[in-house]
Amino acid sequence: MAAKDPWACGGRHILITVYGEPLDVIRRTAEAAVAVRGRHWTWILDDGRSDEVQALARELGCRYVRRLSGGGAKAGNLNHALSVAKGEFFLILDADFVPLPGILEQTLPFFDDATVAFVQTPQTYGNLHNFIARGAGYMQSMFYRFVQPGRNAFNAAFCVGTNVVFRRAAVDDIGGIYTDSKSEDVWTSMILHGRGWRSVFLPETLAIGDAPDTIEGYSKQQLRWATGGFEILLTSNPLLTRRRLSVDQRLMYFVTATHYLTGIAPGLLLFVPALEIFFDLRPVSLGIGIGQWFLAYAGFYVLQVVLAFFTLGSFRWEVLTLASASFPIYFKALGNVLIGRDQAWSVTGAAKQAASPFNFIIPQVLTFVLLAATTAVGVWRDILNSTMTIATVWCGLNTFVLGVFLVVALIERHVQRNGGADVKAMDAKSLALGEMLAAPEPRTTPHTLVLAQVHSEAELPAGQRVRTRPVTASRSEESPS
């Protein structure tokens, strides 16, 4: 029997989830989505209830959906749209992820296997123009280059919420996208795997988006992700859940659920030198020689550096800085889950007045003051004893790393207050700081290159692309097949 042609199967939809993002960001994604090759409908799912977004959808020939209630956040938005958009496959895009023209061509063939529920592609970022954006972007590199492809071997690659194509029948089989968590993507994946569906991670960039480029955006993103992970760990522990997961899948999801605990560890280690300086408590023996120390610890440290060069091309100080400064976010996420506090939904790059970055890093500021004072006490003690101790050096390094983070916050705050003419100057200072710390050359936002590719391929055979008609949520006509 001939293989089933995925292009001949029912309707295909591109669903762009919108919740207050700038209009120009939505426009560039929607234009590229309409121009994706292959017959499809393009929908803008507007949870921000904006008349400007509705007018944009009409201008671009996209269908427009606005729901009256806001329950379930992004998952609720998607489920509501699926009650209107009828079709066999749907691609989910966040408002800031610009799809390449061949995204459907590259992903749909995997659905020839009737057991495949979704095909996930990487989150690749193009706005790495400042310290926060580069750090946030490069923090994801290992996950998308090695972790997700490795999960394919265990049928445990999970959805990350955007740049993913779903089979409608699979989502219907579990009653829709999971709505009881802000990490609806991981929960939905785990439920699908428990029902026997398969997933595929395609390690090829097919959409390019924006990493958070402010401390507020980064903090809210990490809080949302960490809260979702801890929810899985504490409310549906993958090792104990009754879901029909294989042993491999249980282990993979357990690693996912416990990942952000590793983000809490650096916060605890920041205070270890203070134990020696103030209380003469030493977690390690200081009587060993340099040779013994090298044999015991060099493998660990060398492996980290080698792994960083292998995955990122060099050791990225932005990643080290953010990793060291993010522990309060993960403590808060764990506390939210333990006490059952609901966290308001937020999106990367929402169009609103930016708050001061220092509103989100009070624990980091207090920790910096404590470490700076501890370092001063350590230096004074070492001068009196005429010897340099590792605790003082260690505490000084910790103080320096947090200090770099606070300098970044000061630059960001200065840009917010002055704006306009000072933005380029502050960006230059941010880039200079990154260069001083051996940061990579920044890349510009590539949506212009993507749109150039779209326009260069505009002369396609008739019928290969369909420009969709605008529609409101009250209409439920089906897409052409």
Side-chain angles (χ1 to χ4, degrees):
M1 180 180 295
K4 189 177 182 181
D5 179 9
W7 288 101
C9 300
R12 288 162 295 278
H13 303 277
I14 298 179
L15 309 180
I16 304 171
T17 57
V18 171
Y19 185 50
E21 291 85 356
L23 203 62
D24 62 324
V25 171
I26 302 170
R27 173 183 289 276
R28 77 188 192 204
T29 298
E31 285 180 349
V34 169
V36 166
R37 292 193 293 267
R39 291 172 58 85
H40 67 276
W41 295 115
T42 298
W43 299 73
I44 294 179
L45 318 182
D46 182 20
D47 249 10
R49 306 172 191 173
S50 166
D51 292 337
E52 290 79 9
V53 174
Q54 184 175 25
L56 175 65
R58 185 179 300 110
E59 173 192 342
L60 299 179
C62 300
R63 293 191 164 196
Y64 177 87
V65 173
R66 176 191 299 185
R67 58 180 178 148
L68 300 178
S69 63
K74 179 180 176 180
N77 191 10
L78 287 167
N79 286 335
H80 176 260
L82 290 175
S83 69
V84 180
K86 308 296 183 181
E88 190 171 357
F89 304 104
F90 59 93
L91 164 65
I92 299 174
L93 294 172
D94 284 349
D96 59 333
F97 272 88
V98 178
L100 297 177
I103 187 168
L104 291 179
E105 291 175 339
Q106 297 291 87
T107 53
L108 284 178
F110 289 97
F111 291 98
D112 185 57
D113 183 342
T115 66
V116 171
F118 63 88
V119 177
Q120 177 66 61
T121 67
Q123 289 191 25
T124 300
Y125 303 109
N127 64 329
L128 307 185
H129 60 89
N130 66 19
F131 196 93
I132 297 297
R134 286 196 300 272
Y138 283 120
M139 285 177 77
Q140 306 303 315
S141 296
M142 180 174 292
F143 176 71
Y144 289 114
R145 287 190 62 186
F146 300 102
V147 176
Q148 279 278 64
R151 287 173 179 264
N152 277 335
F154 309 106
N155 187 29
F158 60 82
C159 166
V160 298
T162 184
N163 314 342
V164 57
V165 181
F166 274 97
R167 186 192 299 272
R168 175 65 175 260
V171 174
D172 289 345
D173 183 49
I174 62 171
I177 305 294
Y178 187 81
T179 59
D180 291 337
S181 171
K182 300 301 186 294
S183 290
E184 78 293 332
D185 41 18
V186 183
W187 278 92
T188 299
S189 304
M190 186 167 64
I191 296 171
L192 284 168
H193 284 140
R195 292 281 295 175
W197 290 95
R198 295 185 61 244
S199 63
V200 174
F201 177 76
L202 175 62
E204 180 176 345
T205 294
L206 294 171
I208 307 174
D210 293 339
D213 58 1
T214 65
I215 289 176
E216 176 184 1
Y218 171 77
S219 299
K220 289 183 175 180
Q221 179 203 68
Q222 293 297 303
L223 181 62
R224 186 173 74 247
W225 290 356
T227 299
F230 291 140
E231 282 176 348
I232 293 175
L233 178 65
L234 299 177
T235 64
S236 184
N237 190 304
L239 298 182
L240 305 175
T241 182
R242 294 182 178 179
R243 304 184 194 280
R244 294 183 179 179
L245 299 173
S246 68
V247 174
D248 291 332
Q249 289 173 329
R250 291 176 186 273
L251 290 174
M252 293 295 101
Y253 277 109
F254 182 73
V255 170
T256 299
T258 57
H259 169 72
Y260 290 101
L261 291 176
T262 63
I264 293 176
L268 301 177
L269 293 175
L270 288 176
F271 299 99
V272 170
L275 298 177
E276 197 274 342
I277 292 173
F278 289 120
F279 304 106
D280 201 30
L281 296 175
R282 298 178 177 86
V284 296
S285 173
L286 300 181
I288 64 173
I290 187 67
Q292 289 176 289
W293 179 89
F294 185 83
L295 289 175
Y297 289 97
F300 172 73
Y301 290 111
V302 169
L303 180 60
Q304 289 189 78
V305 175
V306 169
L307 198 58
F309 271 89
F310 183 62
T311 57
L312 305 177
S314 68
F315 194 79
R316 305 298 184 189
W317 283 95
E318 303 100 317
V319 176
L320 173 64
T321 302
L322 287 188
S324 300
S326 297
F327 65 94
I329 302 173
Y330 306 134
F331 269 120
K332 182 177 181 180
L334 182 59
N336 286 347
V337 176
L338 289 173
I339 66 177
R341 178 192 297 151
D342 188 32
Q343 191 66 36
W345 178 261
S346 62
V347 297
T348 301
K352 61 182 181 61
Q353 183 65 36
S356 168
F358 289 95
N359 291 352
F360 302 92
I361 59 171
I362 293 175
Q364 289 92 328
V365 173
L366 296 177
T367 301
F368 172 79
V369 172
L370 175 61
L371 293 181
T374 303
T375 301
V377 171
V379 170
W380 175 67
R381 183 199 62 175
D382 291 351
I383 291 174
L384 291 179
N385 295 334
S386 300
T387 182
M388 177 67 72
T389 63
I390 190 173
T392 301
V393 175
W394 187 359
C395 195
L397 288 174
N398 290 340
T399 305
F400 172 76
V401 171
L402 272 184
V404 170
F405 182 70
L406 296 188
V407 169
V408 172
L410 286 170
I411 293 174
E412 183 180 314
R413 182 56 181 152
H414 188 82
V415 170
Q416 288 178 350
R417 286 181 172 177
N418 295 278
D422 283 347
V423 171
K424 290 185 177 179
M426 288 300 103
D427 276 349
K429 291 181 179 179
S430 176
L431 295 177
L433 176 64
E435 290 170 0
M436 180 184 71
L437 298 175
E441 188 71 20
R443 293 185 294 161
T444 57
T445 303
H447 75 273
T448 52
L449 300 178
V450 174
L451 292 179
Q453 181 183 354
V454 169
H455 297 323
S456 69
E457 298 178 358
E459 297 182 1
L460 294 174
Q464 194 168 12
R465 184 188 303 127
V466 174
R467 286 187 61 84
T468 58
R469 295 169 292 166
V471 67
T472 63
S474 61
R475 297 175 61 187
S476 58
E477 54 189 317
E478 292 194 4
S479 305
S481 58

